[in-house]
């Protein structure tokens, strides 16, 4: 993880928020490359799950909602963690995690010397186990108290109880409260889904592991409404659709680069299930700190719609023409974090390779996710014709694929830099491309394309570039197939 964190900072993917003020450990800023990667993940997800499906529509609900939403959803009463506070240093810990933290101990058997002792172990000098604050080693801890993870704020000019509202802790509720609006506006039939990408906020007690758990993050969520009386594949529709969504989500992550052996499913046991869920399956990724949740796919039954109907007094039903009855749909919820997805894609793409005795760092991003698709590089930046051709190419190509120009180092170095940020293709303009008027030589109008993973190079006429990149980047044609039509260039 440390290697990824440092690469992210060095190359402008991710910075700590407010770093010049010492940083806020739980929030992150996405730099020039990070924002492109993040946008690509969201764009591809939206395209695959919204645009390319006949049974999905999109939504962008506001972050601030009526406070009753959170009463109805159960977040006000249940979205809590048990916390203990140190009476001395005032630090706060999750009661269920306190024995998993290394602890500070002033040992009486060694004249009060200070030791840091491994989590769960006793002091080897005096044999005692931790009873005081693990951080300062001095304070008594309070009894556990429930702490709500929602950020509270005030709407309007007066800070009074009546104006209290919350930053949404999940995007899902914005979908449920708009269920009827969308039904009326689109006349959808079950089954259909509503998708949303947006920010969510949780006052996590123990944020950490880089962007894995932060207090401000983004979710990509779908609420897929089904008729529980229908049968699909011989089973109740909600159960069959749940399995379909689990398979679709797993396939999506592997399609865009996660190795199949780094992803696995975790079935929630009865005592792990949220109060509203009939069944929940998490998709776990093998993060450096161990297998952890990448996303969750829950069968939330009709809980949310029924709750909002109860609290709002509005009917949130769908009319089943066939059975001539109003019913409350069941809902399957695939819920993924943009930031966790981004971290997993980064980790899986990272490789250190040895090339001709030198270390090469490469991010083998799927081309659709790669922040920059093409880098246009001059072999000699002193030659104005070469530089002008590069700029012209960059302008033309960037209309369709984000293209960058770089002339700040020698070509070998420029290639390495692009490898390190995962740019799939480099285009190099050289003397042969533009010719040498002083020697009376005309250029051949061809450039070199270098592919990131194989490092193979081919010589391609400038006039073919757009067709070649359309095949590689839009149609997904394999490099080997495209490259076979052109002569190899020397590496
Ligand atoms: P965890 O158990 O890790 O706290 P969760 O089960 O509470 O996660 P959900 O409420 O199911 O998470 O949220 C759906 C998804 O949103 C998660 O799978 C994760 O990808 C993302 N997510 C949730 N909390 C955070 C967070 N604090 N920081 C970043 N992403 C998050």
């Amino acid at each position: 993880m440390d290697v990824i964190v440092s690469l992210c900072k060095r190359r402008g993917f991710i910075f700590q928020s407010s770093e010049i003020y010492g940083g806020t450990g739980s929030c992150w800023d996405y730099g020039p490359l990070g924002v492109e990667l993040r946008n690509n993940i969201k764009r591809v997800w939206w395209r695959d799950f919204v645009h390319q499906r006949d049974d999905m529509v999109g939504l962008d609900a506001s972050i601030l909602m009526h406070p009753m939403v959170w009463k109805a959803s159960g977040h006000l009463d249940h979205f809590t963690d048990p916390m203990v506070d140190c009476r001395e240093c005032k630090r706060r810990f999750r009661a269920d995690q306190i024995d998993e933290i290394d602890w500070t101990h002033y040992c009486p058997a060694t004249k009060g010397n200070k030791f840091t002792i491994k989590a769960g172990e006793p002091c080897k000098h005096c044999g005692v186990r931790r009873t005081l604050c693990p951080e300062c080693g001095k304070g008594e801890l309070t009894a556990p108290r429930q702490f709500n993870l929602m950020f509270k704020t005030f709407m309007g000019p007066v800070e009074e109880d009546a104006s209290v509202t919350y930053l949404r802790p999940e995007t899902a509720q914005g979908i449920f409260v708009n269920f009827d609006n969308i039904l009326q506006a689109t006349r959808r039939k079950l089954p259909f889904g509503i998708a949303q990408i947006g920010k969510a906020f949780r006052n996590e007690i123990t944020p950490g592991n880089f962007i894995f758990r932060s207090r401000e993050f983004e979710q990509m969520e779908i609420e897929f409404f089904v008729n529980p009386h229908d049968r699909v594949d011989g089973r109740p529709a909600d159960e069959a659709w749940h399995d379909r969504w689990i398979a679709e989500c797993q396939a999506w992550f592997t399609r865009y680069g996660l190795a199949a052996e780094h992803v696995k499913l975790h079935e929630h046991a009865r005592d792990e299930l949220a109060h509203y869920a009939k069944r929940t399956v998490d998709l776990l990724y093998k993060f450096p700190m161990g297998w952890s949740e990448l996303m969750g796919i829950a069968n939330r039954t009709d809980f949310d719609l029924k709750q909002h109907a109860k609290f709002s007094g509005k009917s949130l039903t769908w009319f089943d023409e066939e059975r001539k009855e109003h019913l409350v749909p069941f809902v399957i919820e695939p819920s993924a974090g943009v930031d966790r997805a981004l971290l997993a894609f980064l980790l899986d793409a990272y490789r250190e390779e040895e090339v001709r005795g030198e270390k090469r760092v490469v991010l083998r991003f799927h081309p659709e996710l790669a922040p920059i698709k093409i880098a246009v590089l001059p072999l000699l930046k002193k030659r104005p014709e070469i530089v002008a051709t590069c700029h012209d190419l960059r302008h033309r190509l960037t209309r369709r694929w984000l293209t960058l120009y770089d002339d700040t180092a020698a070509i070998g170095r420029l290639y390495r830099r692009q490898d390190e940020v995962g740019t799939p293709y480099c285009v190099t303009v050289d003397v042969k491309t533009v010719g040498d008027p002083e020697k009376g030589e005309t250029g051949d109008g061809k450039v070199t394309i270098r592919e990131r993973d194989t490092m193979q190079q081919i010589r391609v006429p400038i006039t073919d570039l757009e067709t070649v990149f359309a095949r590689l980047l839009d149609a997904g044609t394999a490099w080997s197939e495209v490259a076979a039509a052109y002569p190899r260039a020397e590496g």
Side-chain angles (χ1 to χ4, degrees), residues 45 169-172 196 202 217-223 245 249 253 281-283 293-298 300 332-338 340:
W45 187 89
E170 61 175 28
T171 59
Q196 168 160 237
R202 295 181 188 180
F217 56 98
E218 205 162 7
Q219 292 184 312
M220 308 185 279
E221 290 197 305
I222 291 168
E223 304 303 331
W245 274 109
C249 293
F253 276 103
V281 172
D282 288 342
L283 208 59
E293 177 178 332
L294 180 59
M295 71 172 296
I297 305 126
R300 292 176 80 124
I332 307 301
E333 178 192 74
S335 170
V338 176
R340 280 192 200 175

Side-chain angles (χ1 to χ4, degrees), residues 52-334:
Q52 293 196 340
R53 295 183 67 110
D54 298 324
D55 55 4
M56 193 75 67
V57 292
L59 174 75
D60 189 0
S62 70
I63 289 171
L64 298 174
M65 300 171 78
H66 195 292
M68 281 305 278
V69 169
W70 307 113
K71 185 73 192 157
S73 69
H75 283 84
L76 266 176
D77 298 325
H78 300 297
F79 199 52
T80 54
D81 274 339
M83 305 300 307
V84 293
D85 291 300
C86 171
R87 294 190 200 277
E88 190 80 22
C89 70
K90 309 291 178 217
R91 285 226 173 63
R92 181 165 272 190
F93 307 91
R94 267 178 62 172
D96 58 334
Q97 290 181 349
I98 195 145
D99 287 330
E100 291 161 22
I101 309 169
D102 293 353
W103 56 289
T104 301
H105 175 53
Y106 293 90
C107 177
T110 61
K111 298 196 186 118
N113 280 349
K114 182 179 170 186
F115 298 101
T116 301
I117 301 175
K118 281 244 160 296
E121 290 180 10
C123 170
K124 63 177 182 228
H125 304 289
C126 67
V128 304
R129 291 190 171 268
R130 189 199 60 75
T131 52
L132 301 172
C133 169
E135 189 73 31
C136 71
K138 292 179 179 160
E140 301 261 341
L141 297 174
T142 62
R145 280 180 299 184
Q146 290 299 331
F147 171 79
N148 198 296
L149 300 187
M150 282 198 293
F151 279 94
K152 208 185 245 186
T153 186
F154 298 93
M155 189 103 90
V158 191
E159 290 197 8
E160 57 184 15
D161 283 355
S163 59
V164 165
T165 188
Y166 303 90
L167 301 188
R168 68 180 176 201
E170 61 175 28
T171 59
Q173 299 304 323
I175 299 181
F176 295 126
V177 300
N178 276 294
F179 172 73
D180 199 51
N181 284 338
I182 290 179
L183 206 56
Q184 298 305 328
T186 63
R187 302 268 149 217
R188 288 273 158 175
K189 287 203 169 19
L190 295 182
F192 79 95
I194 305 175
Q196 168 160 237
I197 298 179
K199 289 264 179 159
F201 303 82
R202 295 181 188 180
N203 201 0
E204 301 275 8
I205 310 309
T206 43
N209 287 317
F210 195 30
I211 55 172
F212 177 82
R213 188 183 304 287
S214 49
R215 295 199 169 109
E216 174 179 342
F217 56 98
E218 205 162 7
Q219 292 184 312
M220 308 185 279
E221 290 197 305
I222 291 168
E223 304 303 331
F224 195 78
F225 300 96
V226 300
N227 184 340
H229 305 319
D230 282 351
R231 293 192 78 77
V232 173
D233 307 333
R235 302 163 58 201
D238 60 311
E239 294 177 12
W241 273 105
H242 196 180
D243 279 335
R244 284 185 185 180
W245 274 109
I246 294 165
E248 293 238 7
C249 293
Q250 190 166 10
W252 189 84
F253 276 103
T254 46
R255 177 158 11 122
Y256 292 104
L258 301 192
E261 64 272 22
H262 294 162
V263 180
K264 71 175 182 190
L265 299 176
H266 164 72
E267 182 91 36
H268 280 218
R270 282 246 151 263
D271 57 353
E272 239 184 304
L273 278 181
H275 58 283
Y276 51 75
K278 175 169 162 184
R279 180 187 173 212
T280 297
V281 172
D282 288 342
L283 208 59
L284 307 186
Y285 176 73
K286 202 172 179 191
F287 286 98
M289 65 280 186
W291 288 99
S292 312
E293 177 178 332
L294 180 59
M295 71 172 296
I297 305 126
N299 181 344
R300 292 176 80 124
T301 67
D302 53 7
F303 174 82
D304 303 89
L305 289 179
K306 277 194 170 155
Q307 283 294 102
H308 287 300
K310 183 167 136 199
F311 279 79
S312 68
K314 301 275 179 331
S315 149
L316 298 177
T317 56
W318 180 79
F319 187 66
D320 184 343
E321 296 280 355
E322 222 175 277
R323 298 183 181 89
K324 301 287 177 227
E325 62 172 9
H326 287 276
L327 63 90
V328 183
F330 267 36
V331 67
I332 307 301
E333 178 192 74

